Amino acid sequence: MDERARDMQVTPVMRKKLEDGLAPSRLDIIDESHRHAGHAGHNPQGESHFRLEIVSEAFAGKSRVERHRMVNALLAEELAGRVHALALTTLTRDEEGRRL
Amino acid sequence: MTNPVFDRIRQDLSENDVVLYMKGTPMFPQCGFSAAVVQVLTNLGVKFKGIDILVDPSLREGIKQFTNWPTLPQLYVKGEFVGGCDIVREMAESGELKQLMADKGVAGA
């Protein structure tokens, strides 16, 4: 792996892919890697465990499994690489409103 | 072409109402996400078969392809994929999981 690729941050790449793919009204990407230190799949460089909260109208009428599959497909490359775990919350704007 | 791993998964799913593909065993989960789903199922009082994918690399990859789902754990009820840890936890909190078990005729829920 060349130096540049190794230094590239995963978070902005994921953000761009999710914004392009889902046009979210809210997108929170939280790096929780530090909470998994020492655990299998943990990468000392960080960016191995993420929590994503995504609010998008693209999820309307879709089941939870379908929504997660949409996100997983957009981030397939990252999931095959250094991202070991994604905790996902996928909501439409209506559902977000009801949660608050 | 038949895939022997898929055949084995189909057999496990046909023989058990509730199957959890996980890292470690229900007694000794090796991953926090797997442990969380074990906890949810235990709280519901549902009998389930835990299958440890760590002891079998072909199953570890095979279940991801079978379900078209990149992560573990994975919960199946009556042969139908329900979700991973986040989905199971959300459904448990909202009561949907208990309802699903009842609708599918799974004892204990």
Side-chain angles (χ1 to χ4, degrees):
Chain A
M1 194 197 292
D2 73 47
E3 288 294 320
R4 274 222 325 267
R6 194 163 47 212
D7 290 343
M8 203 148 76
Q9 299 288 294
V10 176
T11 307
V13 176
M14 292 202 301
R15 177 170 293 280
K16 172 88 170 68
K17 287 183 178 177
L18 293 168
E19 281 174 352
D20 290 351
L22 298 170
S25 57
R26 183 163 71 82
L27 171 59
D28 294 335
I29 302 181
I30 302 139
D31 185 345
E32 295 188 326
S33 306
H34 62 283
R35 289 179 49 190
H36 299 269
H39 167 277
H42 176 257
N43 181 329
Q45 295 179 331
E47 300 203 296
S48 58
H49 292 69
F50 288 92
R51 168 165 297 282
L52 305 186
E53 293 204 13
I54 308 169
V55 180
S56 167
E57 290 316 295
F59 296 140
K62 301 235 167 31
S63 73
R64 287 190 180 89
V65 168
E66 288 171 322
R67 294 174 185 193
H68 285 219
R69 282 207 171 107
M70 290 162 73
V71 175
N72 291 335
L74 287 169
L75 302 180
E77 231 174 288
E78 287 68 30
L79 279 165
R82 77 192 274 179
V83 175
H84 173 74
L86 282 183
L88 293 179
T89 305
T90 50
L91 302 167
T92 62
R93 216 173 304 178
D94 265 9
E95 292 163 348
E96 183 191 32
R98 264 178 270 147
R99 258 183 23 148
L100 297 177
Chain B
M1 206 179 71
T2 58
N3 179 330
V5 176
F6 284 12
D7 288 345
R8 191 180 137 200
I9 293 169
R10 283 193 196 96
Q11 188 175 344
D12 282 328
L13 296 178
S14 68
E15 289 173 354
N16 301 280
D17 280 356
V18 183
V19 181
L20 180 63
Y21 291 91
M22 61 180 292
K23 295 182 178 175
T25 63
M27 282 294 282
F28 298 103
Q30 299 294 316
C31 156
F33 302 105
S34 291
V37 175
V38 167
Q39 188 68 50
V40 164
L41 294 174
T42 305
N43 288 347
L44 272 182
V46 167
K47 259 183 67 178
F48 66 98
K49 183 174 176 64
I51 297 179
D52 181 4
I53 54 81
L54 292 177
V55 299
D56 185 344
S58 68
L59 181 61
R60 183 176 189 164
E61 283 318 303
I63 188 65
K64 294 178 185 176
Q65 291 166 15
F66 182 85
T67 316
N68 181 25
W69 193 260
T71 53
L72 287 140
Q74 298 184 7
L75 178 66
Y76 276 84
V77 176
K78 295 258 177 171
E80 193 181 301
F81 177 58
V82 175
C85 178
D86 302 317
I87 290 178
V88 170
R89 270 201 287 215
E90 275 180 34
M91 290 179 73
E93 276 168 28
S94 68
E96 286 165 88
L97 190 62
K98 190 172 181 177
Q99 190 60 49
L100 175 80
M101 297 288 181
D103 290 349
K104 298 253 183 193
V106 174

